Amino acid sequence: MADRFPSPFDIEPPAGAEGWEELYTYSSLFSAERREYEEGGFWFQDGVHWPEAMTPWDVTFLEYALASLSQYNTRHYLIPPALGVDYRILNGYVYLSPVPVATPEEIEARVPHFLERAGYYFGNWDRLYDDWLVKIRELVKEMTELDVRPLPVMEDMEVITSGAGKGSGDDLLATYHRLLDLGFRLWQYHFEFLNLGYAAYLDFFGFCKQAFPSIPDLAIAKMVAGVDVDLFRPDDELKKLARLAVESGVDGAFGSRDPASIQAALGESEAGRAWLARWDEACEPWFNFSTGSGFYHSDKIWIQNVEVPFGYIADYIEKVKEGVDLNRPIAALHAERDRVVGEYRDLLTSDEDREAFDGKLGLSRTVFPYVENHNFYVEHWAHSVLWRKMRNFGEVLQGAGFIHEVDDVFMFKRHELAEALWDLYSGWAVGAPSRGPGYWPQEIQRRRGILTALKGWSAPPALGVPPEVVTEPFTVMLWGITSDSVAAWLQSGEGGAEGSLSGFAASPGLVEGPARVIFSADEIGDIQDGEILVAPLTAPSWAPVFGKIKATVTDVGGMMSHAAIVCREYGLPAVTGTAFGTKKIATGQMIRVDGNTGQVSVLD
C-alpha cells in the first residue's frame, strides 16, 4: 500500500487540455512559489460541492465560499483548533486542505475569544437570525432588480435633460461590478451563522461521545432530527399543487409530460387557470431550486425548466390518487428523537451532567435549522438569480458578436468579463471596432475543447501526505473523509470485502432492492418505484423521488452533509460516503442497505 498520494506537481494534464491553467485565477493553482507548503499538505477532492471540472466563471463562487468560510473561522470567531480551508484547482477539479492552528498554546489563546464571540451569537441567536433573513432577502431583491441592457445607438434625451452626467456605459459596467459585490456579500452572509451552527452540534456531539463512549453517531444525529426548515418548502409546494390538481379535477392535464401541453390544457378551464395562478405564487421564491449543488451554471433551475417540477407533480398526483400520505414522517421522527434522548439522558448520573446535556442539546436544536435553511437562500435562490443575471450579460455580448452562445459568458474568468465589457463599451463610445468579436469566439472555442478534455479525466481522490488520523470534525462530518476512507484510497479504491461497501450510517433502516445507479439529475426520470438510488451525491431538490425509492447510497458526504440530513428528515434509509458505490454497484443488481450500521451489500 502506498504511503502517500500523488504530488500535484507530478500530475500531467489529459490529452487536449494543455494550457488548462489559463482558465483559472492564478492564485487558485498549485505553484512553484508554494511548493514546499503544498506538497507537505493533504488535499482531498471536494466531490460534495464541486464534483465536476469547473468552467472559468463558476470558480467565482468557489473562491467566494472558501475565503468567506475561512475568514469567519480565522478572523471573526477564532475557532480554537481550526483556521481556514485552503483550496486549489488541478486539471479543473477542486481540492481542499483544512488548515489547523499550529500549536496547543495558540489553540488555548483563542479559546476565550471564541467563547466571547460565539457566546454573543448563541445568546442572541433568534434576533440575529431574524435580522439575517431580512438581510438575505434584501440582497436577493437588489440582485433581482439589477437591470442589464445592451448599449443603445444613441442615449435617450432624458439622459441630457436630467443632468445625469453619465450614460449607459457607466450603467453596464457598474451593474456587473455590483453583481460581483452582491455575490461576494452573499457568501459573507452565508457563513455568518453556518460555522457556529456546526460548532454547536459538534460541542453536543463531543459531550455525547465523552459521556457515552459507545454511542453511535447516528443516535446523536437522531436527537436533533424532525426540524421544520425552508429547504423542504419547494417539495411541500409541489405536494400542495398535486393535491390541488386532484381536488379541482385538473389532474388529467398532467397525462402529458410536455410542459406546453400541460399549460395549454390547464388554461382551458377556470379551475385550470386557478391552478396556474397558484403555481405562479409558488414559483417565487420556492422554485428557484437547482437540480444540483447550485455551484454550476449548467444545473437546471426548476423555475426555468418547468418540465422538472411538472414531472414531480405528475408523480405526486398518482400518489394522491392512490391514497398515499405525502407528508414527511414528522411524528415518527419526533417520537424516535424523544426516545433516544430519554434513553441516553437516563444514563447520566449527576444533575450537572444532565443540565449540560440539556443545554447543549437545546442549543443544537436552536441553531440546527440554519444548517439547512441557508442552503435554499444562498445556493439555490440567490444563485439562481445570479445565473440569470449572468445570462443577461451573455445576451449583451452575444448581440455585440463577442460570443456565439449566451452560456459562453461562463467561459470568461470574472475579471476577464469586466475587461470584455470594457472593450464593448470603449468601442461603442469611440465609434470604432472593439477587439472582442475577433478575439473571443475562437478563444472560447479553444477553452471549451480544454474543458471537454478535463471532464473526461478521472481526478484522484486526494493529493499529498495523508494524516495519520483524520480528526478535524468538519472534514469527517461534512465531507465524509475518515481514516478508513483515506486508507481505502491508498489501496487504489479496493476498500471493503468483495461485494460489500462501508460508509456512514446516515439514516436508519434496513432494506433490499434493485439498484439504480445515476450520475446526474438528468437521469432521475429513469428511477422506478422500489429501487435503491446509488449516486455520487444527492441534492435537496431530489427529495420528490424519495417517495419512489427504498433507500439511497452515495459516494461522498458525511453525517452532516445535506444528503444525509435530508434523508433522515424524509425517513429514507441511507448510507453516505461509501467512496466507491457508483463503481462497485451496477443498475439492476440486488443490494442490501443497512442505514443503521453503514453497510451496503451486493446480493447478486
Side-chain angles (χ1 to χ4, degrees):
M1 182 176 74
D3 61 357
R4 66 162 293 156
F5 295 102
S7 164
F9 298 93
D10 293 338
I11 292 179
E12 298 294 329
E18 294 79 7
W20 66 269
E21 297 91 343
E22 299 168 23
L23 275 61
Y24 306 107
T25 310
Y26 83 96
S27 59
S28 68
L29 307 177
F30 290 101
S31 60
E33 295 85 354
R34 298 181 290 196
R35 180 164 185 160
E36 182 178 357
Y37 160 71
E38 291 167 342
E39 279 200 312
F42 172 64
W43 304 83
F44 62 87
Q45 202 278 311
D46 184 1
V48 171
H49 301 98
W50 297 283
E52 301 174 10
M54 303 287 290
T55 51
W57 202 94
D58 292 8
V59 172
T60 297
F61 285 144
L62 159 70
E63 295 177 326
Y64 285 179
L66 270 298
S68 298
L69 180 158
S70 300
Q71 170 185 321
Y72 276 97
N73 269 13
T74 306
R75 309 298 176 186
H76 286 235
Y77 299 127
L78 280 73
I79 304 293
L83 298 179
V85 177
D86 210 350
Y87 56 95
R88 295 290 185 274
I89 297 174
L90 178 66
N91 285 344
Y93 291 81
V94 176
Y95 286 85
L96 305 183
S97 181
V99 180
V101 174
T103 67
E105 291 75 20
E106 290 179 83
I107 294 174
E108 185 177 353
R110 292 165 69 90
V111 168
H113 297 294
F114 171 74
L115 292 176
E116 179 184 18
R117 293 164 183 234
Y120 180 81
Y121 261 77
F122 291 146
N124 296 275
W125 189 273
D126 290 340
R127 175 181 63 80
L128 292 170
Y129 181 49
D130 287 344
D131 291 346
W132 185 89
L133 288 171
V134 172
K135 289 188 299 189
I136 203 76
R137 287 170 176 147
E138 287 180 347
L139 185 149
V140 174
K141 181 176 183 291
E142 181 179 352
M143 193 182 293
T144 301
E145 292 174 351
L146 290 176
D147 190 11
V148 183
R149 298 184 183 183
L151 297 173
V153 173
M154 176 178 64
E155 294 285 12
D156 290 340
M157 187 62 185
E158 184 183 356
V159 174
I160 306 301
T161 58
S162 68
K166 63 184 185 67
S168 301
D170 177 88
D171 291 341
L172 182 67
L173 299 177
T175 299
Y176 179 62
H177 288 295
R178 185 58 182 162
L179 184 65
L180 291 182
D181 289 344
L182 290 171
F184 180 57
R185 183 171 299 170
L186 173 73
W187 278 94
Q188 297 278 295
Y189 287 170
H190 177 284
F191 286 105
E192 180 184 359
F193 287 85
L194 185 60
N195 297 10
L196 293 179
Y198 280 128
Y201 179 78
L202 288 168
D203 183 45
F204 176 61
F205 183 90
F207 175 90
C208 289
K209 285 294 186 180
Q210 184 174 7
F212 321 112
S214 62
I215 188 172
D217 293 358
L218 181 57
I220 303 174
K222 285 181 179 180
M223 297 189 207
V224 297
V227 295
D228 182 20
V229 295
D230 290 341
L231 184 65
F232 303 142
R233 182 71 179 271
D235 187 35
D236 290 340
E237 292 295 326
L238 294 181
K239 294 172 182 176
K240 292 176 185 176
L241 287 164
R243 294 187 187 103
L244 178 61
V246 174
E247 292 165 1
S248 57
V250 300
D251 51 292
F254 289 86
S256 166
R257 291 299 177 109
D258 174 59
S261 298
I262 293 171
Q263 289 172 315
L266 290 168
E268 293 175 356
S269 68
E270 183 177 345
R273 290 189 291 274
W275 189 95
L276 287 171
R278 180 65 187 83
W279 158 270
D280 289 339
E281 291 175 10
C283 279
E284 287 290 352
W286 305 115
F287 293 167
N288 285 286
F289 211 36
S290 169
T291 58
S293 65
F295 285 104
Y296 291 86
H297 76 271
S298 54
D299 290 340
K300 290 182 178 179
I301 309 300
W302 285 8
I303 200 172
Q304 297 163 243
N305 299 270
V306 296
E307 71 278 5
V308 176
F310 274 16
Y312 290 146
I313 290 170
D315 289 341
Y316 277 144
I317 284 173
E318 294 305 311
K319 298 289 185 183
V320 171
K321 291 162 76 172
E322 293 168 6
V324 175
D325 183 3
L326 301 182
N327 294 314
R328 286 193 299 124
I330 297 295
L333 289 171
H334 285 177
E336 177 66 3
R337 178 185 73 182
D338 295 343
R339 181 193 68 79
V340 174
V341 168
E343 177 182 309
Y344 281 98
R345 190 179 186 280
D346 287 346
L347 297 176
L348 297 170
T349 58
S350 71
D351 290 341
E352 182 181 359
D353 284 346
R354 284 188 287 270
E355 183 179 352
F357 176 87
D358 293 343
K360 293 176 188 296
L361 173 60
L363 179 60
S364 293
R365 288 182 178 175
T366 296
V367 305
F368 197 72
Y370 180 83
V371 172
E372 286 302 283
N373 265 354
H374 80 277
N375 188 246
F376 172 75
Y377 287 100
V378 178
E379 285 97 319
H380 291 276
W381 185 14
H383 279 198
S384 296
V385 173
L386 196 144
W387 297 134
R388 289 197 286 273
K389 293 301 172 182
M390 282 294 297
R391 288 186 170 95
N392 291 157
F393 284 106
E395 290 164 357
V396 169
L397 290 176
Q398 182 189 44
F402 277 57
I403 57 179
H404 291 317
E405 304 293 337
V406 169
D407 275 13
D408 286 346
V409 73
F410 299 106
M411 298 305 294
F412 293 88
K413 291 183 274 192
R414 66 175 178 274
H415 70 269
E416 288 177 332
L417 183 52
E419 293 175 356
L421 291 170
W422 174 265
D423 180 21
L424 170 64
Y425 159 70
S426 181
W428 171 85
V430 174
S434 298
R435 184 186 178 191
Y439 175 80
W440 281 112
Q442 62 186 16
E443 173 60 15
I444 286 172
Q445 182 179 8
R446 182 183 76 88
R447 292 183 180 190
R448 287 204 176 278
I450 291 173
L451 193 61
T452 298
L454 294 178
K455 288 182 176 180
W457 183 64
S458 181
L463 305 167
V465 181
E468 292 184 10
V469 180
V470 178
T471 57
E472 201 283 313
F474 291 126
T475 305
V476 175
M477 290 194 170
L478 179 57
W479 283 286
I481 311 297
T482 66
S483 299
D484 288 341
S485 63
V486 169
W489 291 342
L490 287 169
Q491 295 176 48
S492 301
E494 299 301 325
E498 185 65 28
S500 70
L501 290 160
S502 296
F504 289 90
S507 184
L510 175 64
V511 297
E512 295 181 3
R516 172 65 64 174
V517 181
I518 71 172
F519 292 90
S520 75
D522 292 338
E523 300 173 86
I524 284 179
D526 297 335
I527 298 171
Q528 303 298 312
D529 283 347
E531 291 184 324
I532 293 174
L533 173 62
V534 181
L537 187 70
T538 64
S541 57
W542 294 17
V545 304
F546 286 179
K548 294 175 105 176
I549 60 178
K550 286 185 172 181
T552 187
V553 176
T554 69
D555 291 343
V556 298
M559 283 293 298
M560 300 307 290
S561 65
H562 292 299
I565 294 170
V566 172
C567 286
R568 285 196 293 274
E569 293 298 324
Y570 277 80
L572 183 72
V575 176
T576 61
T578 63
F580 315 108
T582 57
K583 295 180 180 179
K584 298 184 72 170
I585 299 171
T587 292
Q589 283 187 306
M590 290 295 294
I591 63 175
R592 178 186 298 121
V593 177
D594 191 341
N596 305 299
T597 64
Q599 297 298 309
V600 180
S601 303
V602 178
L603 303 179
D604 63 16

